[in-house]
Amino acid sequence: MLRRSLAVCPALQAGLHRLPQSLLPQWSVRASRHRAIATETAVRYPPTDHCTCRRLLHSSRILANGASLRSTPYYNCTPGQLPSQSIDVDQPYPTASEDGYHTISFYSFFDIEKVQVPRLRDKIQREWARDLQVVGRIYICEQGINAQLSIPTEKTRDLRSWLETHKVFSGRIPKFNWAIEHRRSFKALHVRVRPLVATGEPLTLETLSHEPEYLSPDAWESELHSAQERGDSPLLIDMRNNYEFRIGQFQGAVCPDVDTFREEMAAVRTMCKERQDKQAPIYMYCTGGIRCSIAGAILKSEGYENVKTLQGGVVAYGKHVRERPEGAANSLYRGKNFTFDKRLGEEVTAEVLAKCDQCGGPCDSFTNCANRSCNLLFIQCPKCAERHHNTCGHATCIERSHMSHEELIKNRRPTVWSYHLRVRPDKVFGKDGIARPELLANKA
């Protein structure tokens, strides 16, 4: 297979020539471990399959950098189509919600040929919406796929079957990460060609090959409990945004006061440098795991040797807490897990950590202002929601919340807030609990 690919792919040939001579025997040994896969790939794809050549070249670059040629649940550098997994790999299925939908997420890092990306986007958009009734948000690019979606209960097995019978995704999508609470969490399906996470810097599969250590919820809990018993204070980083941290967090965690992942990486690098020990353990967690997979890989590629992340994120930990006999008792996580969908949160424990942004009473329910041109993200209790008609309280927003769809289109307004202000209610609410955009540069 390798010789056939080399014969038709000068780029791969050049890539192998750049390998240190000492690594060539290692490449041969590792490649032999994948002989069965390579044989199947050679049969299924002609030697002119440039996607297979790209993956082989990618593998050679990883080895040239001293990393191992391997596959994990979230990262796969094996060239060619992989053997399919069982369509029952996601069992046991959770109990369906009242509206009959499951909410799931998954992500995987692997090489996709650039020309294939828009084709895959169109195919997923068409077939998942039409045949599987999927709704959700999916990002796809040359480095893999990141998906958050809701699907009718009876279609869940069909989704896995679709993935395992597609040559690009077969064997590359890990077990679905089931949500803590299930319902139809999205209005429609949107498949976008864009980076899996907005890092603000170039991200390659070579960097992602430096994976952090993944800890199951049990192992995560055990290690943090052991650290507490020893009196240690390991660096425990919440890789989510500041507003997510408001309503739920692990005990002892620190969350940089930022609004985007790209800002957080800069803050995390500073925090790690201050420790002045690249062998000290670094613990990281996020909503579903992908931000920590990426952040952990970046840190490890920069020399930090002991980076550990919570596999499946708060979503997996919350499910773990609910399924154990003692429930939320002794949970290291307190409060809710913020979600980027219609739910805007799911309960892990019953503790309420936050306050209503309008009246200051205990509350942890996020909402968006009903005026779409405002769309301010803030915490609002039921009483304030009734008083302010599900808006931020500004007179214009209340007026527009009562308009029909046709009236809103006829009387369109520009967006009120910049992104940073839209997620910072503390900067825009007055003492009376009403948003005051007229006090800022942006006018309503």
Side-chain angles (χ1 to χ4, degrees), residues 13-27:
Q13 201 168 31
L16 289 177
H17 287 164
R18 288 195 294 270
L19 276 171
Q21 291 299 310
S22 61
L23 283 176
L24 285 173
Q26 298 177 38
W27 198 96

Side-chain angles (χ1 to χ4, degrees), residues 237-312:
I237 306 174
D238 189 320
M239 288 301 300
R240 302 173 302 167
N241 300 313
N242 72 300
Y243 54 87
E244 300 174 73
F245 189 73
R246 288 182 65 190
I247 61 172
Q249 56 198 251
F250 275 99
Q251 298 173 28
V254 292
C255 181
D257 189 21
V258 297
D259 303 319
T260 65
F261 182 84
R262 61 172 63 92
E263 294 171 334
E264 186 154 33
M265 274 311 304
V268 166
R269 282 187 173 105
T270 299
M271 293 165 60
C272 292
K273 286 179 181 177
E274 289 173 352
R275 291 261 166 158
Q276 298 182 341
D277 182 0
K278 288 199 170 184
Q279 295 182 344
I282 300 170
Y283 293 89
M284 312 172 81
Y285 69 91
C286 57
T287 305
I290 188 169
R291 284 180 280 186
C292 287
S293 287
I294 292 175
I298 291 173
L299 289 179
K300 288 201 72 175
S301 71
E302 295 174 356
Y304 295 93
E305 300 177 10
N306 198 4
V307 184
K308 305 183 180 187
T309 72
L310 174 58
Q311 186 171 18

Side-chain angles (χ1 to χ4, degrees), residues 21-225:
Q21 291 299 310
S22 61
L23 283 176
L24 285 173
Q26 298 177 38
W27 198 96
S28 260
V29 170
R30 291 185 180 111
S32 68
R33 295 173 189 167
H34 301 278
R35 185 167 297 161
I37 297 172
T39 301
E40 181 182 355
T41 301
V43 171
R44 295 196 181 200
Y45 301 106
T48 53
D49 185 344
H50 294 290
C51 187
T52 300
C53 294
R54 279 166 51 85
R55 286 178 178 149
L56 284 167
L57 176 57
H58 168 60
S59 300
S60 72
R61 285 173 177 164
I62 290 173
L63 287 169
N65 289 332
S68 61
L69 184 60
R70 74 204 188 291
S71 298
T72 71
Y74 305 107
Y75 172 86
N76 194 297
C77 66
T78 306
Q81 181 175 354
L82 301 186
S84 61
Q85 304 175 86
S86 166
I87 60 173
D88 293 317
V89 68
D90 307 297
Q91 296 277 14
Y93 291 168
T95 303
S97 62
E98 292 181 4
D99 64 5
Y101 274 78
H102 282 148
T103 295
I104 62 179
S105 61
F106 61 82
Y107 65 93
S108 184
F109 307 124
F110 59 96
D111 183 53
I112 302 178
E113 192 176 5
K114 186 175 182 179
V115 69
Q116 283 191 307
V117 173
R119 296 172 187 168
L120 287 171
R121 174 201 59 200
D122 295 343
K123 185 176 179 67
I124 292 172
Q125 179 72 60
R126 180 177 63 255
E127 296 184 8
W128 288 20
R130 182 192 64 202
D131 303 333
L132 302 175
Q133 286 84 61
V134 167
V135 291
R137 180 176 54 248
I138 298 169
Y139 300 147
I140 187 169
C141 67
E142 294 177 71
Q143 287 79 42
I145 187 170
N146 178 21
Q148 299 89 42
L149 55 90
S150 293
I151 184 171
T153 304
E154 67 276 10
K155 297 286 186 179
T156 307
R157 200 164 178 264
D158 296 335
L159 174 60
R160 173 57 68 177
S161 178
W162 190 100
L163 291 166
E164 297 305 328
T165 54
H166 194 286
K167 66 180 183 181
V168 172
F169 300 108
S170 174
R172 287 189 162 89
I173 303 301
K175 185 175 180 179
F176 296 155
N177 196 10
W178 302 106
I180 302 171
E181 299 173 354
H182 292 274
R183 66 183 175 96
R184 179 173 170 149
S185 303
F186 303 87
K187 292 182 179 180
L189 176 62
H190 299 284
V191 186
R192 311 288 192 217
V193 175
R194 56 160 288 176
L196 306 184
V197 172
T199 59
E201 57 187 83
L203 188 65
T204 65
L205 285 171
E206 282 80 8
T207 297
L208 293 172
S209 70
H210 298 272
E211 287 190 292
E213 179 182 353
Y214 293 109
L215 299 179
S216 68
D218 263 330
W220 172 268
E221 204 166 48
S222 176
E223 290 208 13
L224 292 184
H225 272 309

